[in-house]
Amino acid sequence: MEQLTRRTVLKAVGVGVAVAGTTLVVPSLTGPAAKAVPPTGGGRGRGVAIFGGGMSGLTVAHELIERGFAVTVYEPAFLGGKARSMDVPNTAAGGRLALPGEHGFRFFPGCYQHVPDTMQRIPVGRGGNVKDTHLINVEGAVIALDEAGYAPITVPQSVNGFVEHASAMVSLENFRNALTTSLKIVGDIPPHELAYFVTRELIIATSCQERRIGQWEEQSWMEFVKARGKSSAYQKYLVSALTRATVAAKPDLGSARTIGQIGLALVTSATGLISQYSGTIVGGGVDRVLNAPTDHAWINPWVDYLRGRGVQFVMGQGATAFDVSGGQVTGVQVSGTSGSTTVTADHYVAAMPLDKLKPLLRPDVLAAAPSLAGIAELQDDWMVGIQYFLSRRSDVPPSHIASLGTPWALTGLFQAGPWDVDFGRKYGDGRVHDCLSIDISDWDTPGILYGRTAKQCTKGEIAKEVWAQMSRAMNRGSTPILRESEVVSWHLDPGITWSPTISNETPLMVNTAGSYRYRPTADTAIPNFFIGGDHVRTNIDLATMEGANESGRRVANAILDASGSNAERVAVHPLWELPFLDPFKQTDRDRYRAGLPHIMDV
């Protein structure tokens, strides 16, 4: 290919942006993908012990039980991990179900491929499956900027969404709010800064994999978009709030490669140009949720299916030590409600969260698999949810809520609408008619009521602070959306406890710049020992259900190789990118190898 000039690249990228933004129906394309690292291992045997019954562990069990393996899952607490939902204690009355609590509301972007595929293979009802029965589109979004002069606006996420909810989106109130917010943000974020931000994302889109790993992985997203010296609104909304709302990452810590790639995947899925992604700007599907509590819609049917296929579940038992001898795991010590014992199997899978895995990597384990020492460098953080049960059903169309700029980085979802349920008839004691489920992403920034971080507050103070922050952002228009008088009760994730001091039983791994080198692969130097979880090196490389599911698939493939199985390997999907970007990536590859910067990196 002939050398491309900077002007040629910029012109072509501009054409690409125009194509990506069109609302025309364009035939789907199949894009190129990064190749997965091939698994290694040796030996035979079909007995598998999985330690951890979360997203990764259940995925390993699913793939291996369908391929003739004998699988046992050991789980100390709850199946489903951080994806699970739970009953709020003592809230069921009159034949109704208990009010639904959860670790945090579930979000399934259109670029997710592994989780929907697994859902499609879980039967429910009369010939249905979880994906087709319970995974639905959310066609709207509420954007609320937490600053005076802004007003919350409801925007469609697809043409179909606009048509379906036109009455709410073209109302005088929403039009006034949109005009107010648009004028304010144009004044707060200079046009050249907005253009610069878009250019930085285009740099990611046209960078070769070598530069992404070798250069952008080593920079935080905040460094990459060069937030320092830019306007306050650029830093607060474009860089920080938008990142937290869409990818649940910290812009000052997360790698530019990971945040940039997932941002690109979210935008690409909306174009409808990649057949492997669900959703289009016309038909919707870019943003999806379950239409019922997670356990009811997904986890319970999944476990029932696995049990029916022969998976054994040992509850109340968790791994306490891996016994290693002669370069192999010879057994795993477990303890719990039924005492202590040693588990033996042909293959062992550590599918437990990062904070539970780290203490078990003793010197003998690391001596046999030195690369696992990098796990100690990985970090986790807090991100949990709170639910407010309301006496009135919300008038907001089914929408995700992004409260941009709130100190605790809040996002939310009214659940009665997307669930299409009469809350008063189905849940609680008849007084509750909606649930506002909110994720708290920042536990280290002072709030607006008490001037303390979430980690410094009591349980009741957290509930009051979250409501105050969400209300301040949502009620800046002329008509309030949230009314405190409508709160019947609330429920905070029970993983947060205060005995003797505040702690979190379910922290979430947080992506950090440069962490790629520390992430383990699914297979290890110990030929019968495997690692699953969202801390494993995957294509998405972000703490998500999708990443955990992908890691479980990689574990299954590694065990198939280690056992010498001739079963079909499990599908592992890349983050697909638009094919027309390939020539620009090749040009960048040539420049990177020559020690030159990206052609647009000025």
Side-chain angles (χ1 to χ4, degrees):
M1 180 179 175
E2 294 182 359
Q3 183 70 23
L4 298 178
T5 66
R6 183 186 302 272
R7 178 174 296 178
T8 303
V9 170
L10 293 174
K11 183 183 296 184
V13 170
V15 173
V17 173
V19 171
T22 184
T23 59
L24 295 176
V25 178
V26 182
S28 296
L29 304 173
T30 298
K35 294 182 179 179
V37 178
T40 60
R44 295 184 180 274
R46 306 182 78 80
V48 181
I50 301 171
F51 301 93
M55 180 58 53
S56 176
L58 293 179
T59 301
V60 178
H62 190 145
E63 301 301 344
L64 292 182
I65 202 67
E66 290 187 343
R67 289 164 173 80
F69 284 73
V71 180
T72 303
V73 176
Y74 297 83
E75 169 54 47
F78 307 98
L79 295 173
K82 288 182 282 290
R84 75 183 183 102
S85 59
M86 74 244 8
D87 290 345
V88 179
N90 306 315
T91 59
R96 302 175 186 85
L97 300 175
L99 291 173
E102 56 190 358
H103 172 78
F105 66 81
R106 303 293 98 212
F107 165 47
F108 303 86
C111 61
Y112 278 17
Q113 303 168 85
H114 301 99
V115 166
D117 174 75
T118 296
M119 287 179 169
Q120 198 163 25
R121 293 155 52 210
I122 302 171
V124 296
R126 300 177 180 178
N129 61 71
V130 169
K131 177 178 180 288
D132 294 340
T133 305
H134 293 299
L135 192 62
I136 62 171
N137 297 344
V138 176
E139 305 293 12
V142 176
I143 310 298
L145 281 68
D146 185 29
E147 188 174 329
Y150 290 100
I153 56 175
T154 302
V155 298
Q157 297 198 65
S158 68
V159 174
N160 283 355
F162 177 78
V163 172
E164 185 175 351
H165 303 289
S167 60
M169 295 181 184
V170 299
S171 67
L172 181 60
E173 171 77 7
N174 197 47
F175 178 76
R176 180 169 52 239
N177 289 353
L179 184 60
T180 299
T181 297
S182 299
L183 292 175
K184 178 80 164 91
I185 203 164
V186 167
D188 288 348
I189 303 179
H192 70 275
E193 290 187 354
L194 182 60
Y196 184 79
F197 184 83
V198 173
T199 299
R200 300 310 289 178
E201 183 62 50
L202 291 176
I203 288 176
I204 292 290
T206 54
S207 288
C208 62
Q209 284 296 330
E210 293 89 338
R211 189 184 299 279
R212 293 184 189 185
I213 293 291
Q215 184 175 359
W216 307 139
E217 168 65 21
E218 302 303 315
Q219 291 186 16
S220 73
W221 181 246
M222 190 164 283
E223 292 173 325
F224 175 76
V225 297
K226 299 182 180 179
R228 182 174 297 180
K230 300 291 193 304
S231 66
S232 174
Y234 179 92
Q235 298 179 41
K236 185 176 181 179
Y237 297 120
L238 281 184
V239 178
S240 183
L242 186 61
T243 301
R244 284 184 172 276
T246 55
V247 301
K250 293 188 173 183
D252 56 330
L253 295 178
S255 83
R257 177 187 71 90
T258 301
I259 295 177
Q261 283 186 166
I262 189 63
L264 181 62
L266 292 171
V267 172
T268 302
S269 69
T271 68
L273 296 174
I274 298 294
S275 61
Q276 292 85 352
Y277 286 164
S278 172
T280 68
I281 201 68
V282 175
V286 175
D287 179 359
R288 297 166 294 177
V289 297
L290 293 170
N291 62 1
T294 312
D295 271 18
H296 300 178
W298 179 19
I299 303 302
N300 291 346
W302 198 3
V303 173
D304 289 343
Y305 171 71
L306 296 180
R307 279 201 174 104
R309 292 297 298 259
V311 174
Q312 301 295 312
F313 290 95
V314 180
M315 300 302 296
Q317 294 287 102
T320 58
F322 304 122
D323 297 330
V324 177
S325 178
Q328 299 240 10
V329 173
T330 57
V332 175
Q333 299 175 38
V334 299
S335 65
T337 55
S338 58
S340 300
T341 188
T342 299
V343 173
T344 59
D346 297 309
H347 309 282
Y348 303 87
V349 180
M352 58 194 67
L354 182 64
D355 62 307
K356 301 297 190 297
L357 176 62
K358 284 182 178 181
L360 304 187
L361 299 178
R362 303 181 313 191
D364 56 340
V365 178
L366 297 179
S371 66
L372 297 183
I375 292 176
E377 303 299 321
L378 300 177
Q379 301 178 30
D380 54 33
D381 203 350
W382 295 20
M383 180 179 179
V384 300
I386 185 171
Q387 290 79 52
Y388 295 90
F389 300 104
L390 309 174
S391 62
R392 182 181 64 89
R393 181 164 175 158
S394 173
D395 298 324
V396 175
S399 306
H400 271 120
I401 301 166
S403 295
L404 306 183
T406 46
W408 290 2
L410 306 177
T411 51
L413 176 73
F414 286 109
Q415 291 177 322
W419 289 5
D420 192 23
V421 65
D422 185 334
F423 250 72
R425 286 190 174 186
K426 190 164 187 176
Y427 300 109
D429 59 6
R431 295 181 297 157
V432 173
H433 294 279
D434 210 336
C435 172
L436 174 58
S437 188
I438 297 175
D439 281 347
I440 309 168
S441 299
D442 190 330
W443 287 72
D444 299 302
T445 297
I448 64 176
L449 285 184
Y450 307 104
R452 297 197 296 271
T453 70
K455 292 178 181 177
Q456 297 171 330
C457 289
T458 66
K459 188 175 182 178
E461 288 171 343
I462 289 174
K464 291 179 180 178
E465 180 71 50
V466 170
W467 184 263
Q469 291 186 28
M470 184 65 90
S471 297
R472 189 173 75 173
M474 294 284 285
N475 292 344
R476 290 192 181 278
S478 59
T479 302
I481 296 175
L482 301 182
R483 300 174 179 88
E484 188 170 6
S485 61
E486 296 174 354
V487 178
V488 176
S489 61
W490 51 268
H491 173 261
L492 182 66
D493 185 338
I496 304 295
T497 58
W498 282 263
S499 180
T501 58
I502 191 170
S503 63
N504 184 0
E505 283 297 311
T506 55
L508 186 73
M509 180 191 154
V510 60
N511 178 275
T512 58
S515 62
Y516 182 80
R517 68 172 68 94
Y518 301 123
R519 286 175 173 261
T521 54
D523 60 315
T524 74
I526 302 174
N528 66 340
F529 184 57
F530 308 87
I531 306 289
D534 55 17
H535 44 278
V536 170
R537 194 176 292 186
T538 62
N539 289 324
I540 202 167
D541 268 343
L542 196 66
T544 58
M545 295 180 294
E546 178 76 352
N549 187 293
E550 180 186 336
S551 78
R553 291 165 178 251
R554 291 176 181 272
V555 167
N557 284 338
I559 291 176
L560 291 174
D561 284 356
S563 63
S565 172
N566 63 358
E568 182 180 358
R569 270 32 182 185
V570 186
V572 175
H573 305 289
L575 288 175
W576 303 93
E577 297 183 8
L578 296 171
F580 80 84
L581 297 172
D582 287 355
F584 310 112
K585 294 177 185 176
Q586 183 56 53
T587 297
D588 186 58
R589 183 171 292 110
D590 296 338
R591 292 179 63 86
Y592 183 76
R593 291 172 177 172
L596 298 174
H598 190 283
I599 202 166
M600 290 191 293
D601 188 18
V602 294

